[in-house]
Amino acid sequence: MNQQNAVPVAVPAAPAVAVYGANGHTGKFVVAELRRRGIPVIAVGRDPTRLPADVPARAAALDDPSALERAFAGCAVVINCAGPFLDTATPVVEAALRAGCSYLDVTAEQASAQATFEAHDRPAREAGVVVIPAAGFYGGLADLLASAVAGEAALEELTTAVALDRWWPTDGTRRTGERNRVPRVVVEDGRLVPMAQPGESRDWSFAASGETLPMAELPFSEVVTISRHLPVRRLRSYLNAAALGDVRDAGTPAPTAVDAQGRSAQRFEMEVVAVDAAGTRRASARGQDIYAVSAPIVAEAAARILDPSFKRSGAFTLGEAFDARDFLHALARTHLTVAFDSV
């Protein structure tokens, strides 16, 4: 195919998934994971010269609604991997809905996820499709873990803690950090409220690794996803202080591939601890490379949406749209180590 002209190609007979931002760091992982699963992929991006040559590709700029709609035509699902999502989510989800596609993204930005939920639930229901923002490592994984340990009663407290042995930020992460100046929110007394400044610092003992690490309060989109469908009085999120130092250091390099999948050597551990009248329960997930692992998470969601038995429509979180434990067990076969226990 002539990448310079990005000539539209015929859509495969099987339902296809369009990946917007397919040329980006996370987008490349998503395209590879969809192909591994045998799901037809259409790569979409703003720059036709940077789109992959080994899959069907289409070019569409964010400020060209008609081009976006044409790029998604004939597809069943659009996965948005292009940040900052404060800028990309609205035009991409609106074009996806006009094209009759379900929409997923991998935003860690609270304000973007919240705006997508609020603006696109009704249009998605009217179109008979689903909209699921924050379906990656940040937002999605914690929501699945929280959904898996939530009981019948309202949660008194929910805490998420993430440890990264290193955080090598991508250029996209740095651009998003510069763009996203919206105050972060937490849940207090059952309501989303601005996080106190400075955030709380504490130590956290991770059960799987046995490490106790200094943590900084740093909520991402999981606060929005979890609070959207789980009744919780108090919700807090923490990241280990060393990883926060990495991402704040302008001299920290970008991730470097160390294996055939293109993953970096980064290791992560995420814990979610839920407290209610029935007691305290913990769920954890461990794996390699927070950018790479977003691909199997969002691809698993896309595969479930493509299943003819899936009939839901509207805006949902991952834990709301799917059986959380079943979803996590599917990821645990090849991508994650997942554990559940009582504390």
Side-chain angles (χ1 to χ4, degrees), residues 32 56 67 83 90 135 141 161 199 243 277 305:
T90 295
L141 183 54
I305 292 169

Side-chain angles (χ1 to χ4, degrees), residues 8-177:
V9 297
V11 175
V17 174
V19 179
Y20 193 75
N23 58 296
H25 188 81
T26 300
K28 291 175 181 176
F29 283 118
V30 172
V31 169
E33 177 64 18
L34 291 168
R35 295 184 71 190
R36 186 188 71 80
R37 290 168 174 257
I39 297 173
V41 182
I42 305 292
V44 185
R46 289 165 276 197
D47 184 351
T49 66
R50 296 182 60 202
L51 291 170
D54 55 349
V55 296
R58 298 171 178 175
L62 287 171
D63 60 357
D64 190 338
S66 296
L68 282 172
E69 185 176 346
R70 289 195 302 271
F72 303 151
C75 296
V77 179
V78 172
I79 300 176
N80 182 9
C81 298
F85 292 91
L86 284 169
D87 298 325
T88 69
T90 295
V92 175
V93 69
E94 288 180 350
L97 293 178
R98 290 195 305 273
C101 304
S102 290
Y103 171 89
L104 298 155
D105 70 35
V106 293
T107 184
E109 302 158 53
Q110 291 184 328
S112 173
Q114 184 74 4
T116 298
F117 282 128
E118 292 177 352
H120 300 296
D121 177 45
R122 181 175 177 178
R125 284 187 280 112
E126 291 174 347
V129 298
V130 293
V131 167
I132 305 178
F137 176 81
Y138 288 114
L141 183 54
D143 184 65
L144 288 166
L145 294 170
S147 300
V149 294
E152 296 298 324
L155 294 167
E156 180 66 18
E157 185 172 9
L158 192 77
T159 306
T160 75
V162 174
L164 313 177
D165 62 350
R166 288 296 306 271
W167 191 346
W168 296 293
T170 64
D171 289 342
T173 295
R174 293 203 181 280
R175 288 195 301 271
T176 296

Side-chain angles (χ1 to χ4, degrees), residues 8 63 79 111 139 151 157 161 164 207 228 232 239 244 257 264 267 308 314 339:
D63 60 357
I79 300 176
E157 185 172 9
L164 313 177
R228 178 172 174 82
V232 55
L239 175 71
L244 181 57
S264 74
R267 306 297 302 186

Side-chain angles (χ1 to χ4, degrees), residues 223-283:
V223 169
V224 174
T225 57
I226 292 169
S227 65
R228 178 172 174 82
H229 69 111
L230 294 179
V232 55
R233 191 186 70 82
R234 187 175 192 271
L235 172 57
R236 292 292 187 274
S237 297
Y238 300 89
L239 175 71
N240 64 309
L244 181 57
D246 283 339
V247 79
R248 286 179 172 173
D249 182 355
T252 303
T256 301
V258 298
D259 63 19
Q261 296 173 251
R263 297 180 300 178
S264 74
Q266 179 197 64
R267 306 297 302 186
F268 65 81
E269 185 170 1
M270 178 184 288
E271 284 192 351
V272 173
V273 175
V275 181
D276 61 16
T280 302
R281 298 172 300 282
R282 176 171 50 212

